[in-house]
Amino acid sequence: MGALSGAAVASGADTGVLGATVQGRALYETLGGTLAPSTGFVHRPAGG
């Protein structure tokens, strides 16, 4: 995670968004992440 974050910052990113399962939440909080409200949307075309 540190290498990924470092590469993102080196490329100019100042904010990252990471989707996680309920089980993964504790890991990301341990790494300094904070929980933020999110909205998801899935579109499945008819017949698809």
Side-chain angles (χ1 to χ4, degrees):
M1 292 301 297
L4 178 60
S5 298
V9 169
S11 295
D14 60 8
T15 303
V17 177
L18 179 63
T21 62
V22 171
Q23 295 84 357
R25 179 178 171 182
L27 169 64
Y28 299 126
E29 288 177 334
T30 299
L31 296 171
T34 57
L35 182 62
S38 63
T39 302
F41 178 79
V42 175
H43 172 70
R44 292 193 176 107

